[in-house]
Amino acid sequence: MKHFLIIFILITNFILSQTLDISGIVIDGKTKLPLTSANVYLAKSNLGIVTDLDGKFSIIYKNIPNDSLTISYIGYKTQKIDVQKFINSERTIELDWIDYKLQSVIVSAIISDEKKSPTSFSKISKKEIEENYTIQDVPEYLSYLPSSTSYSESGNGIGYNYLSIRGFDQRRISVSVNGIPQNDPEDHNIYWLDLPDLLESTELIQVQRGAGAGSIGFPSIGGSINIITSPFSDKPNFELSFSAGSFNTKKYSAKFSSGLIENKYSIYAKLSKILSDGYREKSWVDFNSYHISAARYDKNITTQINLFGGPISDGLAYSGLPKFAIKNKELRKENLSYWETDKSTY
């Protein structure tokens, strides 16, 4: 019994005195290049280290812990590995890139922050736009926000459309795309038909209601609309789409994204065509749209070029409806001009 106790104590001391060398190398899963300064730590033991210039790490730990090793690096998926797998072996750990949409750098002076800004505002994300946008122009799309209304000359939300916020028309609403003012310098109006299918390439919309300290100036008495386009993706993709609706409305669209090239460049291109007969007669539209963007990502700066627009043609339906035609489903579609009706009936 005495000898057995001595042997037990010796074995116990040997187990307690042994150390475990947890070592390995962390590399990029695609390029196979080492990742410098990756975080490597034991979740339960609060013991960690960062990888060296060659992506290597080594943690000397007394006893064999019942723990997991966590490896993390910005822009990569975090991995957790049982430390038992490191016993008597050095492991190579490959980290995969995180699949996410690349974001533009947004100047915070033109975007209100919740709980910090005194202005009333609404934000619409890319996900929300993808869920409920098809063909309609920006005023029709934004008219469902609080204190916002719109009307369409053609009657179907495509073509000449106008937006009001808190009763102010769009000549008193400042509109910017990526921080660039879009209001006409002469009459301060915004002509949405010059921006066909812009929402297809939009990452974020913020609508501020009421006068604010916007960077665009005096048109922002009624509010301001900030549209941020950032259609880049870190993976190559190509999409074709077709949409159809009432009044012979159709949309053809093609989108291409190059993904991240050499971890530094990204290119996006979109072409689309919108056709519609309009709700009212002679209020047809034939819109051709393009959006081309290129970005370069450097360590301390992101450079982005955006070109968008397109040749358009449309029929006019600017005359208001006479009173006798409002409730008549056929007459209100005729697009009657003022000389074709008795003025006393207005």
Side-chain angles (χ1 to χ4, degrees), residues 133-190:
Y133 167 72
T134 50
I135 301 176
Q136 67 271 38
D137 285 338
V138 176
E140 170 71 16
Y141 185 80
L142 297 181
S143 64
Y144 297 97
L145 296 178
S147 305
S148 302
T149 58
S150 73
Y151 74 91
S152 166
E153 290 184 350
S154 62
N156 67 340
I158 306 173
Y160 279 98
N161 295 274
Y162 305 89
L163 181 70
S164 295
I165 298 178
R166 290 186 175 179
F168 291 92
D169 65 29
Q170 55 191 30
R171 291 178 300 172
R172 291 297 175 261
I173 301 171
S174 64
V175 178
S176 66
V177 177
N178 297 323
I180 307 300
Q182 301 298 311
N183 295 77
D184 186 86
E186 182 178 359
D187 64 355
H188 313 305
N189 213 331
I190 173 72

Side-chain angles (χ1 to χ4, degrees), residues 305-340:
I305 298 174
N306 297 289
L307 302 173
F308 55 87
I312 61 172
S313 55
D314 67 328
L316 297 177
Y318 55 83
S319 296
L321 289 174
K323 289 181 180 179
F324 68 83
I326 293 176
K327 295 183 179 181
N328 189 306
K329 293 183 179 180
E330 298 303 323
L331 287 178
R332 67 189 184 195
K333 295 181 181 179
E334 290 187 4
N335 191 13
L336 300 173
S337 299
Y338 70 91
W339 59 82
E340 297 174 302

Side-chain angles (χ1 to χ4, degrees), residues 2-255:
K2 182 178 180 180
H3 295 292
F4 175 77
L5 182 60
I6 294 173
I7 294 172
F8 176 76
I9 293 173
L10 290 174
I11 293 174
T12 303
N13 288 335
F14 173 76
I15 293 173
L16 293 176
S17 63
Q18 68 174 321
T19 59
L20 174 65
D21 183 7
I22 304 173
S23 60
I25 179 172
V26 182
I27 64 173
D28 185 298
K30 291 185 178 180
T31 65
K32 310 303 179 183
L33 296 174
L35 294 177
T36 304
S37 299
N39 295 309
V40 182
Y41 61 94
L42 293 165
K44 297 180 181 178
S45 307
N46 295 323
L47 184 64
I49 197 172
V50 295
T51 57
D52 60 18
L53 294 177
D54 298 320
K56 295 182 178 181
F57 67 91
S58 179
I59 301 175
I60 305 299
Y61 196 88
K62 289 186 177 182
N63 307 324
I64 302 176
N66 181 20
D67 206 341
S68 61
L69 194 69
T70 302
I71 304 97
S72 65
Y73 197 81
I74 295 176
Y76 292 81
K77 295 179 181 178
T78 299
Q79 280 196 37
K80 290 186 177 181
I81 304 174
D82 193 329
V83 294
Q84 302 291 336
K85 296 181 179 181
F86 289 88
I87 297 176
N88 299 324
S89 65
E90 182 179 280
R91 294 182 61 88
T92 298
I93 303 162
E94 298 184 2
L95 296 185
D96 296 326
W97 295 355
I98 296 176
D99 182 14
Y100 62 94
K101 297 288 185 180
L102 300 176
Q103 299 288 328
S104 288
V105 176
I106 301 174
V107 181
S108 59
I110 63 171
I111 298 293
S112 293
D113 194 4
E114 200 169 349
K115 298 181 181 180
K116 294 182 180 179
S117 173
T119 60
S120 174
F121 65 92
S122 298
K123 284 184 179 180
I124 305 175
S125 66
K126 176 66 173 178
K127 182 179 179 181
E128 294 175 284
I129 296 173
E130 290 176 344
E131 290 175 352
N132 48 40
Y133 167 72
T134 50
I135 301 176
Q136 67 271 38
D137 285 338
V138 176
E140 170 71 16
Y141 185 80
L142 297 181
S143 64
Y144 297 97
L145 296 178
S147 305
S148 302
T149 58
S150 73
Y151 74 91
S152 166
E153 290 184 350
S154 62
N156 67 340
I158 306 173
Y160 279 98
N161 295 274
Y162 305 89
L163 181 70
S164 295
I165 298 178
R166 290 186 175 179
F168 291 92
D169 65 29
Q170 55 191 30
R171 291 178 300 172
R172 291 297 175 261
I173 301 171
S174 64
V175 178
S176 66
V177 177
N178 297 323
I180 307 300
Q182 301 298 311
N183 295 77
D184 186 86
E186 182 178 359
D187 64 355
H188 313 305
N189 213 331
I190 173 72
Y191 299 96
W192 297 105
L193 79 167
D194 292 331
L195 308 172
D197 205 28
L198 180 64
L199 292 175
E200 189 70 45
S201 307
T202 296
E203 183 74 20
L204 171 70
I205 305 175
Q206 185 186 73
V207 178
Q208 298 181 22
R209 294 179 287 275
S215 60
I216 301 174
F218 57 87
S220 59
I221 298 299
S224 64
I225 301 172
N226 303 308
I227 300 175
I228 305 297
T229 66
S230 182
F232 304 104
S233 173
D234 65 331
K235 288 188 176 181
N237 64 71
F238 179 74
E239 296 180 23
L240 291 174
S241 63
F242 169 74
S243 305
S246 304
F247 319 115
N248 200 26
T249 301
K250 300 174 183 177
K251 174 183 170 182
Y252 306 88
S253 179
K255 293 190 294 183

